[in-house]
Amino acid sequence: MKKHLLWLVLAGLTACQPGYHLTKRTATLTTVDSMTATSDKNVAQFLIPYREGVDKRMNEVLAQSTARIEKRQPDGPLNDLLCDALLQQATIRYGKPIDCSHLNYGGIRSNLPEGNITVGSIFEVMPFDNQLVILTVTGTMLQQLLDHFAKGDKLVIGGLRTVVKNDKVQSVTFTNGRTLQPNETYTVAMSDYVADGGDYAGFLKNAVKRETLTYLIRDALIDYFRKQGQTGQPITPASDGRVTVE
């Protein structure tokens, strides 16, 4: 009886609580204009060493290019260069051969300039903090991967040559001499974004094996271009026609 009485008291108190209802909504648009706004001198002074550190980092020249390096569909100099760079660095970090590499076409956000290629240039090309992962997939899944990205001429690949017809990959020839066999397995270096099913590649979640190298794709590219610069030879952009569309 005491228990029932307590619930009645609580219900009564709750019923007596005043309710709050939205009766009016107002908004004001405030324009922030860096040309007219005044800066806080103390804050600006505080940020100087950080700005200098960032500028020094971003302005580091990694390599030289004889011409602007552009991404294109279905195949372009930047597509090929980045995938080759990724494959090379992934192989070094992985410690054993990798069959091919893949990059998401939409994830390549800029071109590389003629002349100095800086750390900042690589950040513009690859601004996302995607991890480099190695997927072990069956030949059937690799075929699915190639077909998936061949649609719309978005296949960006390294370590193999392929012919595409009607948005389907017709032939695959690996640079290591292997051919694509449905029941064999292959290793693919790619971003964790795609491996996690990004860009509608959810089927990759069923890969045979997945290994994360704890190595950002952007850092892999920076390391590659720094090594290219140390050779003293400029980069001459060229597409080798690894993706042919009939």
Side-chain angles (χ1 to χ4, degrees):
M1 183 64 185
K2 289 182 178 178
K3 183 178 180 181
H4 292 164
L5 180 61
L6 177 61
W7 279 110
L8 288 173
V9 171
L10 291 174
L13 290 174
T14 303
C16 294
Q17 292 295 320
Y20 294 96
H21 304 282
L22 181 65
T23 58
K24 185 179 181 181
R25 180 182 297 172
T26 60
T28 303
L29 179 63
T30 302
T31 302
V32 178
D33 187 343
S34 61
M35 300 299 292
T36 58
T38 58
S39 62
D40 186 303
K41 292 182 179 179
N42 292 330
V43 174
Q45 189 70 23
F46 173 77
L47 291 175
I48 284 177
Y50 299 98
R51 177 178 296 171
E52 290 177 345
V54 170
D55 289 344
K56 182 179 180 181
R57 161 76 167 154
M58 291 298 171
N59 292 332
E60 177 191 352
V61 177
L62 301 172
Q64 300 282 329
S65 177
T66 58
R68 178 180 167 87
I69 310 175
E70 299 181 336
K71 75 169 187 177
R72 295 175 190 155
Q73 295 173 283
D75 197 17
L78 188 58
N79 314 22
D80 297 355
L81 179 60
L82 295 183
C83 270
D84 289 347
L86 185 67
L87 184 57
Q88 179 173 311
Q89 291 304 123
T91 301
I92 294 172
R93 181 61 69 101
Y94 195 47
K96 47 189 174 182
I98 299 171
D99 291 301
C100 57
S101 59
H102 170 269
L103 280 172
N104 188 31
Y105 185 83
I108 303 173
R109 305 311 288 253
S110 183
N111 298 308
L112 286 173
E114 178 182 356
N116 291 341
I117 296 176
T118 65
V119 170
S121 306
I122 304 302
F123 266 79
E124 291 177 2
V125 167
M126 196 65 59
F128 308 108
D129 290 339
N130 288 128
Q131 290 284 342
L132 174 58
V133 302
I134 308 300
L135 284 191
T136 300
V137 298
T138 64
T140 299
M141 183 175 286
L142 181 55
Q143 177 77 47
Q144 189 177 6
L145 167 69
L146 299 174
D147 286 342
H148 178 73
F149 287 101
K151 295 176 183 176
D153 295 333
K154 293 181 179 179
L155 183 57
V156 182
I157 201 84
L160 59 81
R161 301 179 69 85
T162 183
V163 176
V164 179
K165 185 176 182 179
N166 297 327
D167 287 343
K168 295 286 185 180
V169 169
Q170 304 297 310
S171 66
V172 175
T173 305
F174 293 93
T175 53
N176 61 12
R178 299 182 73 181
T179 57
L180 186 59
Q181 301 297 326
N183 296 323
E184 293 189 2
T185 58
Y186 303 86
T187 47
V188 188
M190 63 169 60
S191 75
D192 59 345
Y193 169 72
V194 175
D196 288 337
D199 210 357
Y200 305 101
F203 57 89
L204 292 176
K205 294 180 180 178
N206 298 318
V208 175
K209 186 178 180 182
R210 169 183 169 140
E211 297 164 276
T212 301
L213 300 188
T214 317
Y215 192 24
L216 293 181
I217 286 183
R218 183 178 57 240
D219 287 343
L221 297 177
I222 289 172
D223 289 343
Y224 173 85
F225 282 97
R226 183 179 285 117
K227 286 195 297 185
Q228 291 299 305
Q230 291 170 349
T231 68
Q233 296 295 317
I235 296 171
T236 300
S239 173
D240 61 10
R242 67 187 63 178
V243 179
T244 301
V245 178
E246 292 184 340

